[in-house]
Amino acid sequence: MGQTMAEKILARHAISGEVEPGRIIRARVDCVLLNDVTGPLSFKQFREMGATHVAEPERVVLVCDHFAPAPSLAAAHGLKAMRQFAEEQRIPHFFDVGQGGIEHTLLPERRLIAPGDLIIGGDSHTCTYGAFNAFGTGLGSTDIAAAMALGELWFLVPESVRFMFRGAKRPYVTGKDIILRVLREIGADGATYQAMEFAGEGIASLTIDERMAVCNMAVEGGAKTGIVVPDAITDAWARDNAAPRPYELVAPDPDAQYAATYTFDLADFGPMIARPHSPANVVPLDEVVGTHVDQVYIGNCANGTLTDLRQAVALLGGRHVAHGTRAIVVPATQRVYAQAMAEGLLAQLVEAGVAVSTPTCGACFGGHMGLLDDGEVAITTTNRNFRGRMGHAGAQVYLANAYVAAAAAVAGEIVDPAEVAGAASPAKGGTV
Amino acid sequence: MFQGAAHVVGDDIDTDVILPGRYLTLTDPAQLAQHVFEGIDPDFVSRVKPGDILIAGSNFGSGSSREHAPLGLKALGLSCVIAASFARIFYRNAINLGLPILICPDAARAAKPGDQVRVDTDTGTVEVAGQPFHAQPFPPFVQELIAAGGLVPWVQAELAQR
């Protein structure tokens, strides 16, 4: 019987057990990721386990990104614990404030992952690495501690669900809209404990950045991972950027078994928006047009890439953030920040009245750098709009792509980006 | 065996709602316990008595991988969580930390706030206001983890063999 991508990757890493959906196996892992939120608890559990040394320090990656730079003494304590653990365990891949950025955008740009990898992270959005044809999955601190101590972990082999995309995207539609469309279809637990497989010409047309946006939110449907079928784009990325170790692209067998198959035509939908308070509460953009926004937030591990910053500048460049609205843009990593600076994107954002932040998970998870008060409304390119996620439980968060978020910053309300783009910008001598 | 009053919550309760992000710098379970459900139900913490049981709908614990959520629930004194279904990471985290969980859609549907609930984890029997239900059994390996008292003692034993 044929295998899915998830089954093939698990089979290549299995130490014991039969790789068949529903079975439990033990497998070695290629990369173990920790951040400053899940790290400190993990270090505590590691010591409780009686472990004295990390089995394979070169496979561990420590990233200071959540409460970074430290907004409080408690946060400073957590960041210090990261530094100490890196030092004590001689972990080479440690990224402090100013050296890295948001973990899931960072690892692929620093040659730390490769196609076919099995990657675990103390962060639910570890599924992002499916964009690179890897099996990434999020876990809690204790599982991560176990993997550091043993160099392996137990996995329940997931069933796979196939999502086929044909056709071409409409204007202002991005990877974000594709995954929101999927979530609208399957709901917040439609793929619990399953692996999503993204395939078809519609996915092949996406850049690496947009594929990351798609895979990043697989977990919002409950999935264990979400993996893109490899193609020439995956191969080209891997040749220049994959971790320096042998790798192999993993394609599904033609006779692989799926729990379900969904087919979408990209020509069928425009930009999508998730309304409060669930990433699966998705509607077409036009259903929420006219909603006032107090804050616009462009950034996070799903959509803080150079592609997103360029999309934001396409709407905000030469224009200004509306009176009564504030906008925050967070380049995902130091390299994204540097490139955005070199391209003049950051200068245009600053001139438009945007607060440009250093790379951080920041307000996305309600940590710092732009929390919302009771009754406030935000539109963000982040991945979660749960009640209270970005601050007060009485705040309302809408999730959208960077074009739509930037257009809302200009208009002060949710609007079709085509309308903002169609209006001549003051900088170009027109009237608004 | 657990016995206590039911606290009932709905479907899709995510870990941000259980333990908001701004408290994730805390690692002391007792401190985390003080913020459980703070955003949606500020009095929840004061209503829970040791041994009480949390009953939830489907997809309990969705979202973030933060172990702060099950740690807070356990430290608050809740003896176990019964849900129609659990999100994947929460399910693993609870078992790893030794917070008893049971998947029992019928009990989740039947329970009302304040109902007396009795749980026999050996047989998987859940009694809600005198009415018996049966929880889904765990796979053998997960049972082994539960019997060991969670992942920490299980890894301790593994390391001892190496």
Side-chain angles (χ1 to χ4, degrees):
Chain A
M1 198 179 71
Q3 286 185 311
T4 65
M5 291 187 288
E7 289 157 18
K8 282 188 180 179
I9 295 175
L10 289 176
R12 287 175 189 185
H13 292 80
I15 297 164
S16 64
E18 204 180 331
V19 178
E20 209 175 282
R23 299 288 185 102
I24 286 173
I25 62 161
R26 287 173 72 165
R28 63 180 180 79
V29 293
D30 297 298
C31 182
V32 182
L33 166 70
L34 299 94
N35 61 49
D36 56 289
V37 157
T38 52
L41 272 180
S42 194
F43 308 149
K44 197 170 160 184
Q45 297 293 67
F46 181 81
R47 290 175 190 119
E48 286 281 310
M49 286 165 180
T52 52
H53 63 277
V54 169
E56 294 166 292
E58 70 286 352
R59 291 185 185 226
V60 173
V61 183
L62 297 174
V63 184
C64 299
D65 61 359
H66 274 65
F67 288 103
S72 65
L73 283 178
H77 189 66
L79 294 171
K80 190 173 168 188
M82 295 283 281
R83 281 175 210 117
Q84 285 172 335
F85 193 78
E87 177 79 23
E88 165 200 313
Q89 296 293 329
R90 300 180 189 286
I91 289 164
H93 305 301
F94 167 65
F95 297 93
D96 209 330
V97 171
Q99 294 169 15
I102 300 176
E103 51 197 345
H104 307 307
T105 318
L106 181 69
L107 267 57
E109 73 176 30
R110 299 299 176 104
R111 308 194 71 136
L112 292 169
I113 61 158
D117 272 3
L118 177 54
I119 300 159
I120 60 170
D123 189 278
S124 58
H125 293 113
T126 305
C127 52
T128 309
Y129 307 117
F132 308 94
N133 192 230
F135 186 119
T137 192
L139 293 163
S141 298
T142 305
D143 269 322
I144 294 295
M148 286 199 294
L150 302 172
E152 59 173 78
L153 199 63
W154 70 274
F155 296 89
L156 176 63
V157 180
E159 292 184 310
S160 293
V161 183
R162 192 165 169 87
F163 295 89
M164 288 291 293
F165 299 88
R166 54 167 187 251
K169 286 183 299 173
R170 291 206 223 156
Y172 300 110
V173 169
T174 72
K176 184 70 152 195
D177 306 289
I178 292 173
I179 190 64
L180 288 175
R181 179 68 190 81
V182 166
L183 292 169
R184 175 177 160 94
E185 198 66 32
I186 67 167
D189 62 351
T192 297
Y193 241 117
Q194 293 176 322
M196 290 182 175
E197 194 167 295
F198 301 108
E201 67 193 23
I203 285 296
S205 73
L206 300 183
T207 63
I208 283 287
D209 282 356
E210 291 198 86
R211 293 177 187 195
M212 286 173 70
V214 171
C215 294
N216 179 275
M217 291 182 72
V219 66
E220 312 313 337
K224 181 170 197 162
T225 190
I227 309 174
V228 172
V229 172
D231 58 13
I233 291 177
T234 323
D235 197 28
W237 174 84
R239 266 184 274 121
D240 294 338
N241 303 288
R245 54 176 180 257
Y247 67 87
E248 215 178 311
L249 300 178
V250 180
D253 289 328
D255 57 342
Q257 302 288 308
Y258 297 95
T261 298
Y262 296 82
T263 304
F264 298 89
D265 192 327
L266 297 187
D268 286 347
F269 59 92
M272 308 298 285
I273 285 202
R275 292 183 297 192
H277 295 283
S278 164
N281 188 15
V282 175
V283 295
L285 171 65
D286 54 19
E287 287 190 28
V288 289
V289 157
T291 306
H292 167 77
V293 294
D294 298 293
Q295 181 167 300
V296 175
Y297 187 94
I298 298 171
N300 125 308
C301 58
N303 290 92
T305 66
L306 207 53
T307 299
D308 297 290
L309 299 186
R310 288 176 186 150
Q311 290 170 356
V313 169
L315 277 300
L316 272 160
R319 298 189 176 87
H320 205 275
V321 176
H323 179 72
T325 297
R326 54 192 189 265
I328 300 168
V329 171
V330 191
T333 65
Q334 290 290 114
R335 286 194 187 167
V336 169
Y337 195 105
Q339 181 64 29
M341 201 151 51
E343 288 183 21
L345 302 176
L346 301 188
Q348 291 185 75
L349 290 170
V350 170
E351 277 168 32
V354 171
V356 177
S357 163
T358 190
T360 177
C361 300
C364 165
F365 76 107
H368 57 130
M369 295 293 286
L371 272 62
L372 302 168
D373 196 11
D374 192 11
E376 289 195 315
V377 178
I379 187 165
T380 76
T381 65
T382 61
N383 35 32
R384 290 191 172 133
N385 56 351
F386 300 143
R387 194 181 291 280
R389 167 80 176 178
M390 292 188 75
H392 199 285
Q396 310 252 327
V397 179
Y398 292 79
L399 308 179
N401 74 40
Y403 287 125
V404 174
V410 173
E413 59 182 43
I414 298 175
V415 62
D416 185 342
E419 253 177 62
V420 173
S425 75
K428 288 169 191 157
T431 51
V432 175
Chain B
M1 275 298 254
F2 301 112
Q3 185 167 359
H7 297 267
V8 181
V9 294
D11 293 339
D12 298 318
I13 296 293
D14 59 81
T15 54
D16 276 272
V17 158
I18 301 170
L19 221 302
R22 58 189 173 279
Y23 299 117
L24 298 184
T25 52
L26 301 175
T27 54
D28 176 14
Q31 283 180 19
L32 286 166
Q34 294 312 306
H35 303 289
V36 168
F37 292 130
E38 186 176 282
I40 56 161
D41 186 354
D43 300 327
F44 182 82
V45 166
S46 60
R47 288 202 308 273
V48 173
K49 290 182 191 64
D52 280 0
I53 289 168
L54 184 65
I55 305 215
S58 61
N59 201 28
F60 183 77
S62 54
S64 159
S65 67
R66 60 189 69 167
E67 266 183 23
H68 308 67
L71 274 178
L73 292 170
K74 193 180 176 193
L76 187 55
L78 289 163
S79 61
C80 72
V81 184
I82 300 165
S85 66
F86 289 92
R88 182 187 74 86
I89 304 176
F90 186 93
Y91 171 98
R92 282 185 78 125
N93 286 349
I95 285 161
N96 287 345
L97 294 170
L99 169 67
I101 57 170
L102 291 106
I103 303 166
C104 190
D106 294 336
R109 256 191 301 275
K112 288 175 207 61
D115 278 353
Q116 275 299 308
V117 180
R118 287 162 59 92
V119 175
D120 184 337
T121 47
D122 290 338
T123 61
T125 310
V126 176
E127 219 179 271
V128 178
Q131 203 186 349
F133 300 99
H134 290 284
Q136 290 174 15
F138 288 107
F141 177 74
V142 175
Q143 285 179 27
E144 186 185 320
L145 276 181
I146 294 168
L151 189 61
V152 170
W154 189 86
V155 174
Q156 272 171 354
E158 277 281 312
L159 285 173
Q161 285 172 19
R162 291 190 175 187

